[in-house]
Amino acid sequence: MSAFSTQNENGVCLITFDLPGEPVNKLTAAVRVELEALLIRLKEDSAARAVVLISGKPDNFIAGADIEEFTALTSQDAAERLSFEGQETVSRVETSHKPIVAAIHGACLGGGLELALACHYRIATDHPKTQLGLPEVQLGLIPGAGGCQRLPRLIGARAALDMILTGRSERAAKALRLGLVDEVVPRSILRQVAVAAADRLARNGLPRRSGKGGMAGMILDRTSAGRRLVYRGARKQVLQKTGGHYPAPLAALEAVRVGLEQGVTAGLAEEHRAFGELAVGDVSRKLVQIFFATTALKKDDGVPPGSATPRQIRRLGIVGSGFMGAGIAGTAVLNVEVDTRLKDSDLTRVGKGLKAADRMLAERLKKRRLTRPQYQRLSALLSGSADFSGFNRADLVIEAVFEDLDTKRKVLAEVEERVRPDTIFATNTSTIPIRHIAEYARRPERVLGMHFFSPVERMPLLEVIPSPATSPDTIVTAVRFGRRMGKTVIVVADRPGFWVNRILSPYLNEAGHLLQEGVPIDVIDRTMTSFGFPVGPVALLDEIGLDVAEKAGNVMHAAFGERMKPAGALGRMLGATRLGRKNGRGFYQYRQGHKAGVDKSVYPLLGVRPAEADPQLVQRRLVYSMLNEAATACSENVVRSPRDADIGAIFGIGFPAFRGGPLRMIDDLGASRVVETLYHLQEQFGERFRPAAALLEMSRRSGRYYPA
Ligand code: NAI
C-alpha cells in the first residue's frame, strides 16, 4: 500500500501523505523511497506546475523519522548512512523546479520539520495541536536531515539554536513570528490557501524573506563575529544545563556552526557524521529506551487489557485546597478541562487555593499559551466551598488534606456520605498505606491512592496505588485520568513510601549521615549534581520541607527498621524552626524566595565542624543507598516491572536520564560489582549497606533486570 496519493487541482499537484496502518505519519526508509520516486514523476508531469504536501491524518502532519529504525542500527556507518540518505531526500524536495508548499496541521516534528523546511513555502493551522520543532536532542541525537543547516538560514542562528538545543516545539503563532512559517490559517481553509499559494509561487516565483530580529539580529545572526558570540553563549548555556553529560546539544551546535561558517556542504557532512556517532552512542540508546518506555506506559492501564471499564470523569472534587490540592486543581482544569470544586475547612483557605489554581491559568495567558476567551472558560471551571456542596455530582474526589491518618479517614467518611456510590475516592497521601485509610470505608473498592509530586504542574509522574480491595474499574479510571492530566502513570504496590519515596528515603538519610559527619553541604550537593541529578539531596530536603521529610522518614523507619533510621540532622534543624524553603530557613539561605548559598550557621547547630571529604566516596554512598533499596523494593514487587521502576526514578526524583534509571544502572555495572561495592560500604559504614538479597541472587547467577 502506498503512503502518498496525488490529485491535480487546477494545475497544482496535491500530495496527501497518509502512512497506512499507523496513527501518525513517519518518514520510514520505505516512505523516503516512495517520495523520491514521486518527485521524479512530478518533474515529468506537465499538468502540474506546483505542489502541495498535506497530511491525511486527523491531527498530525509528520511526527518525524521512524525511531524503531534507529534502534535497529548496529554500526556507526549504518547510522551515518541513514542520516545521509535523509539529507538526500530532503535536498531533492528543495531542488524541485516546481515550487512545493507544506500545508501543516498537527505535529510537524523532527524529520517532518526538516522536510517542511526544504519546501518553498510553509502554511500552518492555528490549532493547538500544530506544533513545530526539532526534538532530536531529547533522544540524544541531532537533526540529521539538513535541519541544522536550513533552520538557522531561515530564522537566524540564535532562534534556531534555541529550538535545536532545547528540542522545544513551537505553536503556529510563535512559528510565524520567528519566520518559521509564512502563513497561519484556520484549519478549515488550509488546503485551499495552500493550493492558492502554490499556484501563486508557480506564477510569481519564490518569496523573498526578510531577516528577523532587527539591529541585534543583523549583527548577531549575520556577521561571523556576532555569531561567534552566539555560539559561545549557547555552549555555555548547554554545559550549564547538561553538566556535560549529554553530547547531542554540543554536536548540534557544531553542525550549525560548521554549516554557517564553512557552507552547507561542509555543514551537512558534519551533521551526518555526528548523527552516526550519536545514534550508536550510549546516551542516545538510553534516551530512546526511555522514550519507548513512556510510550508503552501511555497504553498501559495498570490492569490486564479488557479486564476493566474506565469511567468518564466529568466533575472533580478536591478536599484540601492547600499546596497540593490547588496544584492538582489547576493542572486538572488546564489539561482535562474538567469542572473542579475545591473544598477546605473555611472560606479563607478555599479562596487561597482557588487563587493559586487560577494563577496557573493566568500564567499561561501571560505566556500566550492561552487566549483570553480560553482563559476565561477554564477559569470558570474552578469553584469552591467550605462545605461539600456540589460533591454529590463528582465522579472523582481527590483528597489532599494534612498527612494524618485520622484526618484522612474522617474526610473519606464525610465524602462517602455525600457522593454517589460509584464515585471514586483518591488520596494524595505520600506515606500512609491506602488500606489503612480505607479500613472503615463503605466502598473500599472505590478507594485508591493517586500520589502526585510537587509542584504538580511541573512534575511529570503520578503513582497510582490500589489497595488489595480496589476494583480494576477504579484503577483504570484513575490511570486514564492521570494520563489526561499529562502525567506518566505507574501503578505501584501499597507499601510504605510506595516506589519513589521508598528509594528516596535511604538516599536522603545517607545525606543526613554525611551532614552529621561534618561533610560540607555544598560537597554533598555538588557530588550529586555532577552525577546528573537536577539538585543535590540537601537542597532537595529544603524543597520538600524539613518537617515533611522528617515525618516521612519516621514512617519509613517504623516500617523498615534499622536500615532506614534517620541520622538525626533533621530533628536538630526542626528544633531551631528551620523548615527549609517554605519558611526561608533551611540548610540554605533564601533571599526573596531565591536560594542564596549554604547557611553556615547550620554546622554548629548540627554540632559538627565542616571537614574535608572525598567527593567520590560521598557520591558512592548516596548512589548505592538508592540502588540497594531499589533492588530490595523491586524484589518485593513494589513496581510491576524494571521499566516502571526506572521511569518512576527518572520522572519522580530526577534520576539522571542518561544513566537510564537505577535498575538500568545496576545492569550496566553488573550485579556482582554492585554487591562488591556494597560490601565495602557495609564494612566502613555499617549494616544499612548490607547488599540486598535480590542483588546477591542476581550476582550468583549473573542475572539482569533487562535483556542484554
Ligand atoms: P497543605 O497543608 O498545604 O494543605 C492541606 C490543606 O488541607 C489545608 O488547606 C487544610 O486546611 C486542609 N484540610 C485539613 N484538614 C481538612 C479537612 N478535614 N477538611 C478539609 N480540608 C482540610 O498540605 P499539602 O502539602 O498540600 O499536602 C496535602 C497532602 O498531599 C498530604 O497528604 C501530603 O502528604 C501530600 N503530598 C504532599 C506533597 C508535597 O510536596 N507537599 C507531595 C505529595 C503528596
Side-chain angles (χ1 to χ4, degrees):
M1 266 206 297
S2 167
F4 297 96
S5 57
T6 59
Q7 190 180 343
N8 194 301
E9 278 192 25
N10 307 323
V12 172
C13 175
L14 191 73
I15 303 180
T16 304
F17 182 14
D18 192 350
L19 190 62
E22 293 280 347
V24 295
N25 284 328
K26 291 185 273 191
L27 294 170
T28 63
V31 163
R32 278 202 320 272
V33 170
E34 201 188 328
L35 179 62
E36 292 207 20
L38 184 59
L39 289 171
I40 291 167
R41 273 209 311 284
L42 270 170
K43 212 162 147 186
E44 314 297 324
D45 181 358
S46 56
R49 286 172 288 114
V51 180
V52 167
L53 178 63
I54 199 165
S55 161
K57 302 293 182 199
D59 280 319
N60 174 268
F61 177 69
I62 301 173
D66 184 359
I67 298 167
E68 307 268 357
E69 280 181 9
F70 298 166
T71 57
L73 293 167
T74 49
S75 74
Q76 185 167 334
D77 270 359
E80 217 173 287
R81 204 169 331 114
L82 187 76
S83 169
F84 176 76
E85 283 165 4
Q87 291 178 343
E88 293 283 285
T89 308
V90 168
S91 291
R92 291 214 175 91
V93 170
E94 186 172 53
T95 53
S96 158
H97 293 297
K98 298 177 182 178
I100 305 182
V101 173
I104 303 164
H105 170 73
C108 172
L109 300 174
L113 181 56
E114 293 182 290
L115 185 67
L117 285 169
C119 293
H120 306 97
Y121 198 74
R122 285 158 293 279
I123 306 173
T125 69
D126 57 7
H127 196 274
K129 289 239 161 103
T130 297
Q131 302 263 353
L132 299 96
L134 296 172
E136 284 86 347
V137 293
Q138 293 171 359
L139 295 177
L141 299 166
I142 66 171
C148 295
Q149 312 310 316
R150 290 188 183 86
L151 190 62
R153 282 178 172 73
L154 185 65
I155 68 173
R158 284 170 307 156
L161 285 171
D162 188 36
M163 284 183 75
I164 295 173
L165 302 187
T166 59
R168 190 183 58 232
S169 54
E170 305 287 4
R171 294 196 185 195
K174 175 86 182 282
L176 184 66
R177 279 202 298 282
L178 290 173
L180 181 53
V181 299
D182 299 288
E183 277 183 71
V184 173
V185 299
R187 182 184 183 178
S188 55
I189 57 168
L190 175 65
R191 176 184 160 135
Q192 287 147 277
V193 173
V195 170
D199 183 58
R200 201 169 63 234
L201 296 188
R203 288 172 203 281
N204 306 342
L206 301 184
R208 294 178 59 101
R209 296 185 176 91
S210 61
K212 305 258 167 182
M215 195 60 168
M218 190 86 140
I219 296 164
L220 288 172
D221 286 342
R222 288 192 288 283
T223 67
S224 66
R227 286 195 300 265
R228 262 204 302 280
L229 282 178
V230 172
Y231 304 141
R232 207 179 305 148
R235 191 181 161 81
K236 204 171 134 201
Q237 221 175 341
V238 165
L239 286 174
Q240 230 165 41
K241 235 183 97 187
T242 63
H245 291 304
Y246 295 85
L250 291 178
L253 177 58
E254 182 61 6
V256 169
R257 190 192 68 78
V258 170
L260 287 177
E261 308 312 321
Q262 298 167 27
V264 176
T265 312
L268 286 171
E270 175 57 21
E271 199 179 289
H272 65 242
R273 189 203 63 76
F275 183 94
E277 189 176 305
L278 292 166
V280 294
D282 187 53
V283 173
S284 175
R285 289 266 139 106
K286 291 280 186 331
L287 297 179
V288 168
Q289 282 156 355
I290 293 167
F291 172 80
F292 283 131
T294 42
T295 311
L297 276 168
K298 283 189 188 128
K299 294 184 201 128
D300 185 339
D301 286 332
V303 293
S307 69
T309 322
R311 289 179 35 90
Q312 275 234 20
I313 306 296
R314 292 195 189 82
R315 292 196 178 76
L316 175 65
I318 296 177
V319 191
S321 68
F323 182 60
M324 293 301 286
I328 295 166
T331 309
V333 165
L334 265 174
N335 293 292
V336 194
E337 307 195 359
V338 66
D339 198 318
T340 301
R341 165 75 47 119
L342 276 171
K343 188 229 177 274
D344 207 300
S345 39
D346 61 64
L347 279 176
T348 317
R349 288 174 191 243
V350 174
K352 240 176 97 184
L354 284 173
K355 209 181 253 164
D358 197 70
R359 217 168 325 153
M360 289 167 56
L361 310 184
E363 190 76 11
R364 299 283 174 108
L365 177 65
K366 214 172 93 194
K367 287 191 184 150
R368 296 205 250 184
R369 305 285 308 255
L370 287 179
T371 63
R372 183 153 292 275
Q374 280 170 335
Y375 163 75
Q376 282 161 342
R377 189 170 51 80
L378 294 181
S379 185
L381 292 171
L382 282 167
S383 64
S385 70
D387 55 28
F388 284 99
S389 62
F391 273 64
N392 55 345
R393 302 195 304 161
D395 304 296
L396 168 67
V397 174
I398 299 178
E399 168 274 301
V401 301
F402 301 138
E403 186 76 350
D404 173 73
L405 177 59
D406 287 334
T407 313
K408 289 191 185 284
R409 278 180 177 162
K410 205 177 108 232
V411 168
L412 170 55
E414 286 170 345
V415 168
E416 280 194 321
E417 227 168 78
R418 289 165 177 92
V419 297
R420 294 192 316 262
D422 59 352
T423 300
I424 292 173
F425 181 93
T427 168
N428 180 47
T429 178
S430 38
T431 48
I432 307 173
I434 310 306
R435 60 186 185 287
H436 293 175
I437 297 174
E439 195 161 334
Y440 305 110
R442 284 196 212 166
R443 296 178 288 273
E445 70 280 6
R446 301 254 169 236
V447 179
L448 84 176
M450 286 176 84
H451 182 211
F452 291 91
F453 295 80
S454 114
V456 179
E457 69 271 30
R458 266 191 287 134
M459 291 298 285
L461 187 73
L462 170 68
E463 288 181 315
V464 163
I465 311 117
S467 86
T470 309
S471 73
D473 287 3
T474 304
I475 299 172
V476 68
T477 305
V479 169
R480 294 231 180 145
F481 189 75
R483 210 139 58 206
R484 287 177 67 202
M485 282 179 73
K487 303 303 170 198
T488 296
V489 187
I490 57 174
V491 176
V492 301
D494 189 20
R495 301 288 318 276
F498 314 126
W499 167 250
V500 168
N501 287 342
R502 169 79 175 269
I503 61 171
L504 191 59
S505 204
Y507 169 79
L508 293 179
N509 281 346
E510 199 55 32
H513 288 292
L514 291 162
L515 285 166
Q516 284 305 146
E517 291 166 25
V519 178
I521 292 169
D522 47 334
V523 171
I524 301 176
D525 277 353
R526 217 169 324 112
T527 57
M528 293 322 294
T529 50
S530 75
F531 180 80
F533 275 94
V535 295
V538 185
L540 183 60
L541 283 166
D542 266 8
E543 296 296 328
I544 295 169
L546 306 191
D547 51 340
V548 174
E550 190 200 45
K551 214 163 160 181
N554 291 339
V555 171
M556 299 304 280
H557 181 204
F560 297 104
E562 203 53 26
R563 79 167 192 278
M564 291 252 199
K565 186 173 174 196
L570 293 184
R572 291 197 180 83
M573 295 292 282
L574 290 171
T577 51
R578 287 174 176 267
L579 305 183
R581 181 190 280 282
K582 68 174 118 177
N583 77 343
R585 286 162 50 89
F587 292 103
Y588 287 85
Q589 295 177 312
Y590 296 88
R591 288 204 198 98
Q592 277 133 24
H594 291 288
K595 203 159 82 188
V598 168
D599 188 340
K600 297 217 169 66
S601 68
V602 165
Y603 299 118
L605 195 65
L606 297 180
V608 298
R609 214 183 270 180
E612 267 194 42
D614 170 9
Q616 295 276 341
L617 181 60
V618 170
Q619 187 180 79
R620 210 172 309 134
R621 285 171 62 177
L622 288 162
V623 171
Y624 278 75
S625 64
M626 187 181 280
L627 297 187
N628 203 24
E629 193 60 34
T632 304
C634 197
S635 70
E636 292 169 5
N637 298 322
V638 171
V639 278
R640 293 174 304 164
S641 64
R643 174 199 73 187
D644 288 15
D646 283 336
I647 290 296
I650 293 165
F651 288 180
I653 308 178
F655 194 97
F658 70 91
R659 297 185 192 275
L663 300 188
R664 193 68 84 171
M665 198 177 153
I666 292 174
D667 273 1
D668 282 353
L669 290 163
S672 48
R673 250 185 79 195
V674 176
V675 165
E676 201 182 309
T677 305
L678 282 167
Y679 274 140
H680 282 303
L681 292 170
Q682 184 189 2
E683 240 167 67
Q684 280 178 276
F685 304 101
E687 280 303 292
R688 64 179 186 277
F689 283 105
R690 173 181 291 282
L695 283 174
L696 293 175
E697 171 63 24
M698 272 176 79
S699 107
R700 257 196 302 277
R701 50 179 181 83
S702 311
R704 303 171 50 89
Y705 286 108
Y706 295 91

